[in-house]
């Protein structure tokens, strides 16, 4: 893409919309040769994708000579006028080319060709074309101009067209070379092939010789001989690779409690360094993670188990990585046996046994007192030490209330993206809640966001601090739901009917004065916040969705 206009909303600025202009580059290629009619100049203007730029004005100045006039090769009727500085203007045709004939003798001179785009979409460019009275000019073009080369194919083909100016009376044998360069590699010759001036030829080369995937420049060159001057042509292409996904290990556990899905992203050129993997259920994204060194770690938790499989798709962040076929993954669901259910039945019969092994079930009064006392119910990120190498983030993920470590928390560093998650780095906390997040290969940006998710805690989204040792505190979903209920009860006036204290969800659910929808919702809050089952994200959202509205006069409906 040569140029692009875009409008984006920038945070913390006075204006909501700010135009962004991306300037492309333009290239001029040409040759000049002497003939019976004078010196003939042929040139072509194209962009960084090798696409012709038609209708552009090129400025021509002859260094070392002062020609009295010039006209188009099509005929003297199309005369070019010079300005007071002796500069001629020629407009490119539909193919982005010009052909200008200088009637005066300007041998051993140089023709300066300049291009300035009045719209500003292309950066200004200038080139010098030497005139040669002893040799003719050779034109080389890619026809058609290639745009992509899939690296999965063993071979690639390009077609070159050559033409001599003026037309030669005898055939001349040329030695053409085809080379490739990229932003990270030096020029590498792919092949050398003989050809006759004026013919078209197809060149085939092995794709294993290409660097990539990524943007490349193909160059076709002729060094010149006694009859024709040197010539070259370039084409900007992309070497693409298709990405395939595979599970690194089988899934264990129960997706209702959350499972760790480790996925390998690979291509014909090895591990894929960038992009992300997205988990989709019935066409909706349910989780995603960044690809780091060919691996993506996804935390997947689902309450609805009617669907027994999820689809994993690779989401590229560059145009040269191509998403392959989606990967279908069977979800693990553990079916409890009667003997496994027996402890739960005994626990329910033991009225007052609110703590199930491995689960924290806070007492109603204690939790409500803490929430009423406006305990800090927001997660946070604290920097406790700076990074020694200035390149890594490490630390611990803990519960905000009791400071116990949180295992299996997914920590993502993300950038804003037009599509996909935009994740650039990802890791998971271990059994002690410890984690380490290494700096990614993409450039650091001020708007990088830290996202932290755990099965039984409210997600945290905060700006990514400077590299260092962090303590990330998460609030349990139970406490978040209770805080929401207390705020609702205050707006609905239930504290007045509870002697000035905050009523419990159970009390509101049993109150005869409330409407059935309010009673049912309050009982659902009570079961979610104090019941034996852990509170997952899906269950929390289903309870929040049933929250009754409170009118301006404090009535709930």
């Amino acid at each position: 893409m040569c140029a692009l206009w875009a409008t984006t909303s920038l945070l913390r600025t006075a204006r909501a919309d700010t135009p962004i202009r991306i300037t492309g580059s333009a290239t001029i290629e040409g040759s000049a040769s002497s003939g019976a009619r004078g010196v003939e100049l042929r040139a072509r203007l194209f962009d960084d994708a090798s696409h012709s730029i038609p209708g552009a004005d090129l400025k021509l100045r002859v260094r070392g000579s002062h020609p009295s006039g010039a006209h188009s090769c099509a005929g003297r009727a199309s005369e070019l006028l010079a300005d007071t500085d002796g500069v001629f203007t020629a407009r490119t045709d539909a193919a982005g080319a010009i052909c200008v004939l200088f009637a005066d003798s300007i041998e051993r001179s140089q023709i300066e060709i300049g291009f300035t785009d009045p719209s500003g979409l292309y950066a200004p460019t200038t080139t010098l074309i030497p005139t040669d009275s002893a040799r003719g000019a050779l034109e080389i073009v890619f026809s058609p101009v290639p745009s992509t080369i899939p690296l999965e194919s063993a071979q690639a083909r390009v077609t070159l067209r050559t033409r001599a100016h003026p037309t030669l009376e005898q055939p001349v044998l040329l030695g053409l070379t085809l080379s490739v360069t990229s932003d990270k590699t030096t020029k590498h010759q792919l092949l050398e092939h003989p050809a006759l001036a004026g013919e078209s030829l197809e060149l085939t080369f092995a794709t294993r010789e290409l660097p990539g995937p990524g943007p490349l420049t193909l160059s076709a060159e002729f060094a010149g001989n006694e009859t024709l001057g040197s010539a070259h042509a370039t084409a900007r292409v992309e070497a693409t690779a298709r990405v395939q996904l595979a599970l690194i290990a089988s899934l264990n556990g129960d997706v209702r409690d959350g499972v760790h899905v480790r996925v390998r992203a690979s291509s014909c050129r090895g591990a894929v360094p960038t992009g992300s993997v997205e988990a989709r259920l019935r066409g909706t994204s349910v989780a995603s993670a960044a690809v780091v060194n060919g691996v993506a770690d996804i935390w997947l938790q689902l309450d609805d188990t009617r669907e027994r499989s999820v689809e994993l798709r690779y989401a590229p962040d560059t145009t040269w990585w191509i998403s392959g076929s989606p990967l279908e993954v069977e979800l693990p669901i553990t079916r409890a046996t009667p003997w496994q259910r027996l402890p739960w039945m005994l626990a329910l019969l033991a009225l007052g046994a609110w703590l199930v092994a491995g689960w924290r079930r806070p007492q109603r009064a204690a939790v409500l007192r803490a929430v009423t006392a406006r305990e800090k119910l927001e997660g946070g990120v604290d920097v406790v030490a700076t990074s020694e190498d200035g390149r890594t983030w490490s630390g611990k993920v803990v519960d905000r209330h009791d400071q116990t470590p949180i295992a299996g928390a997914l920590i993502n560093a993300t950038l804003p993206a037009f599509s996909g998650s935009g994740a650039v780095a990802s890791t998971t906390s271990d059994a002690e809640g410890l984690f380490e997040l290494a700096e990614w290969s993409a450039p650091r940006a001020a708007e990088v966001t830290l996202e932290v998710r755990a099965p039984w805690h409210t997600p945290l989204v905060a700006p990514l601090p400077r590299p260092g040792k962090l303590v990330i505190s998460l609030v349990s979903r139970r406490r978040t739901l209770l805080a929401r209920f207390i705020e609702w009860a205050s707006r609905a006036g239930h504290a007045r009917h509870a002697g000035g204290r905050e009523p419990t969800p159970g009390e509101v659910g049993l109150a005869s004065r409330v409407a059935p929808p309010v009673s049912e919702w309050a009982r659902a809050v009570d079961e979610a916040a104090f019941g034996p089952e852990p509170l997952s994200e899906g269950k929390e959202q289903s309870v929040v969705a049933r929250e009754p509205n409170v009118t301006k006069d404090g009535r709930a409906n």
Side-chain angles (χ1 to χ4, degrees), residues 241-246 264-272 294 321:
R242 193 167 296 276
V243 179
Q244 301 297 336
L245 301 179
R264 177 180 291 108
S266 59
S267 72
C268 62
R269 291 299 179 92
V272 179
W321 292 112

Side-chain angles (χ1 to χ4, degrees), residues 29 44 46 140-142 160 218-222 231-235:
E29 289 185 350
R44 175 174 171 258
F46 54 92
I140 306 175
V141 295
F142 286 91
L160 294 177
L218 291 178
S219 302
E221 297 174 289
F222 170 60
H232 72 282
T234 59

